[in-house]
Amino acid sequence: MRRPRAVASVAGVGALALVLTACGGGGTSGGSGGAGADELTFLGLNENETIAATLTALSEDECAAENEAQPLTVTQQSQETLDQQLQLLAGQDSLPQLFTSANAPALNTELFEADSTVDLGTALDELGVADGIVPAARSVVEQLYDGTMIVLPTELNIEGLWYNEQLLEENGIEVPTTWDELVEAFATLQAAGVQPVSQAGSGGDGWGITRWVGNYLLRDLGPEALQAVRDGDAELTDPEYVAAAQAVSDLGAEGYFGPSPTSIDYATALNTFLAGDAGFIYMGSWALAAFNDPEQNLIGEDAIGFLPFPEVEGGAGSADQMPANVGTAVSVSAAGYEDEATQAWVRCVVENYGTVALRDSGQITGFTVGEDVEVPALSQLVQDQIAAVDESVLWFEGYFSAAATTTSQTNGGLLGAGQLSGEEFMTLVQADLG
Amino acid sequence: MNQVLGDRRAVALLLTPALLVYTLVMLVPMVWSLGYTAFRGNAISGFEYAGGENFATLVSDPAAREALLFTLRYAVVVTVGQVVAGYALSLLYVFALRRSSTAIRTLVFFPVVLPTVAVALLFQKLFEYAPQTGPVNAALLAVGLEPVDWLGSAGTSFVVIALMDVWRSMGFYAVLLYAGLIDIPDELIESARLDGASGWQLVRSIVVPLSFPVLVSALIFSINGTLKVFDSIYALTGGGPGAGTTPLTLLMYRTAFFYGDYGYGSTVALALTVLSLLVTVVIFRSYRRDVTRG
């Protein structure tokens, strides 16, 4: 008699579990930032003070009236756990009205498709402030999210190689324009006892290395190379894709990324370059705040040059195709946006954020700048580069799922150390792409 | 007292609040998680019935296989390290240091009370290779050896993780086993000595058999703790480099909360639970067999 009773108990528990699970999630109403909220909550990042500081500055001046109706409250948390937090909040319909967009574009798409965030393209048209977004920024966002603008571009970055002009001059190196010239420059620097490139590869900071793979691919196979992988027309394990990863692995095997990229995090990599201990660094223009800060930048603003990722000889891509992104962006929760006070806030942010961020933090954003603001020379250089961009391209993991992105970035350090071959790296990432 | 405990209603009254809390905070989430194994999706996109798909994925997933192998290797090495080091220390307390062991016991126990993240940072600095050279590599250089990029590859990272976790917890096992050892009657040990038993014979024939129950408890504590290791590895290596030091727990955490796949995450959790259960049962059974033989 015991066994049937036990089986029945297990079956009962299993059935209960299925029922409970099926009931879980999927609700759509409520939320802490819903209509009629007393405050405008913004969920920011510990690692990014600019957005919170700019919103706070807006609340005290340009958006004082909106702040009166719905006072701004800023909460912050670490970037590493942001995606997890957003999933949790969205699952409980508790997303704040404004929040830092997820690290993984796939999660932003998922939130949008679940009606948790606002279609800002339509919303800004209705508010009459659509021209508050720089066309280049809009194009970058729409390229990433299938033609829809679902985040506010609180940053607009270009990426490329920054170099120490003094170190290049001292070693008789001309600014390289092709991949081969770049590799030659690395060899010269290393022979002179200078670390050629400072690049992070520790844990998730391995994106510093995987950017090299993505850019090589885009220069070699053309700007559609990664779209072809997304659309299933190509696989990362195809020989021409493996060749790109192998080119980066070869740099690692030569030790050009430093003695141990897997031990170096983002801050250390940036400090190494700004202390004058490395010739090059691949970085986005979001680092301008550090470049413009004399306490961090020991080599001086004038000693830093910018070089678009060089062309690969015989490749289908060109150096004019600039890697661009909106970096740390902001999303608006659909429930919160039902409130007119929140809509007023969004209108005010779109109209004024660009000016205040550039004026106070030297940050180039995807919002139009309303008045002449004096900017440091490097920021001006980046602005000019952005203005000259004809065609922007995404980063290596731009179209990847969260799992493939993590696999790529956590293995980037091993690739940059030459411990993984191009084939091993691409096989690992392709496995998560499915 | 007997009267109170003989009354079923009194027993029910006393037990109900605890059982209710236990059911709500332990059993319901466990059953809920069990249910997720038959679904795909998450709280944002909703859930879709997936039948046995998650289990099929688990069997064919190379990442799960790698994590399982790492978990088993870690559990065996660290359990042996913790229990052997703990037992050696407890023997030292009882037979060599005797009553003056209090200060040493406190010192050896100290790492147990340190926060895991602090210990991980300490070991990161100790074994640092770049950008600065840590004390371990400085010592290697001082004796004319090449420095090692300890956290730069999976093999050497494993060594650091195992060393750290044995160092961190051996004080706990030493105290646990010490409590078992001081229960052994002095007369027994004295009479064995009079019968001519030397140090090693004494340990093998008297001390180990008599402290066997507490040794088995320590083994079960340790193997279950190490199979479910999360915090120390997460803080020291983050599961890297690559996925070289990723245990099942970290794979489960990432799958459920970063990749938004609650179903597969729960399936990994279920596999880990079954594994812990199996190991515990095996240890219990072999312990019983030994007692019968003895």
Side-chain angles (χ1 to χ4, degrees), chain A residues 137 229 412 430:
Chain A
V229 174
Q430 182 64 47

Side-chain angles (χ1 to χ4, degrees), chain A residues 98-390:
Chain A
L98 300 182
F99 57 92
T100 308
S101 306
N103 297 312
L107 179 54
N108 290 322
T109 305
E110 199 175 348
L111 288 171
F112 178 67
E113 285 175 353
D115 295 327
S116 295
T117 55
V118 174
D119 174 353
L120 287 160
T122 311
L124 299 192
D125 276 341
E126 284 169 4
L127 291 174
V129 289
D131 55 0
I133 306 289
V134 176
R138 193 175 184 126
S139 132
V140 169
V141 177
E142 289 180 348
Q143 189 187 2
L144 192 56
Y145 298 112
D146 265 341
T148 320
M149 203 176 85
I150 61 175
V151 298
L152 290 174
T154 37
E155 281 181 10
L156 180 57
N157 304 303
I158 49 165
E159 296 180 7
L161 287 162
W162 305 81
Y163 57 89
N164 182 325
E165 287 179 358
Q166 201 182 336
L167 280 177
L168 262 61
E169 211 175 283
E170 278 169 14
N171 290 283
I173 299 168
E174 293 278 312
V175 177
T177 54
T178 65
W179 176 263
D180 287 345
E181 286 175 16
L182 184 69
V183 178
E184 247 175 71
F186 291 169
T188 310
L189 285 172
Q190 196 172 46
V194 177
Q195 182 177 328
V197 197
S198 177
Q199 211 71 70
S202 161
D205 286 346
W207 60 262
I209 309 277
T210 62
R211 289 290 209 269
W212 287 76
V213 179
N215 284 307
Y216 189 102
L217 275 175
L218 296 166
R219 295 288 183 260
D220 192 22
L221 305 180
E224 284 85 31
L226 291 165
Q227 257 163 293
V229 174
R230 180 193 65 174
D231 299 340
D233 298 332
E235 292 203 340
L236 293 175
T237 45
D238 293 345
E240 60 274 27
Y241 284 79
V242 168
Q246 189 56 48
V248 179
S249 175
D250 291 343
L251 296 183
E254 293 291 340
Y256 292 159
F257 290 117
S260 174
T262 48
S263 309
I264 304 298
D265 61 13
Y266 172 80
T268 310
L270 195 57
N271 286 343
T272 304
F273 178 73
L274 293 179
D277 293 332
F280 292 84
I281 187 169
Y282 182 91
M283 190 53 70
S285 54
W286 59 79
L288 278 176
F291 291 172
N292 290 329
D293 177 4
E295 279 186 22
Q296 290 184 66
N297 182 0
L298 304 181
I299 56 179
E301 202 188 317
D302 299 339
I304 297 179
F306 178 78
L307 160 71
F309 197 87
E311 291 178 6
V312 173
E313 288 85 343
S318 93
D320 297 333
Q321 291 148 354
M322 185 72 81
N325 62 57
V326 287
T328 308
V330 167
S331 298
V332 182
S333 89
Y337 193 72
E338 286 169 14
D339 195 325
E340 279 182 14
T342 305
Q343 292 173 22
W345 251 110
V346 171
R347 182 191 295 117
C348 185
V349 166
V350 173
E351 283 173 341
N352 298 289
Y353 191 97
T355 309
V356 175
L358 189 61
R359 184 191 65 206
D360 294 357
S361 313
Q363 177 82 62
I364 296 161
T365 69
F367 298 108
T368 47
V369 177
E371 58 187 76
D372 280 342
V373 180
E374 222 172 278
V375 294
L378 274 176
S379 300
Q380 187 60 53
L381 184 146
V382 170
Q383 266 189 318
D384 295 345
Q385 289 276 351
I386 290 174
V389 169
D390 276 341

Side-chain angles (χ1 to χ4, degrees), chain B residues 37-40 49-60 264 267:
Chain B
T37 59
F39 288 84
R40 76 171 78 85
Y49 183 68
E53 190 187 281
N54 288 322
F55 292 94
T57 310
L58 183 71
V59 173
S60 60
Y264 188 48
T267 311

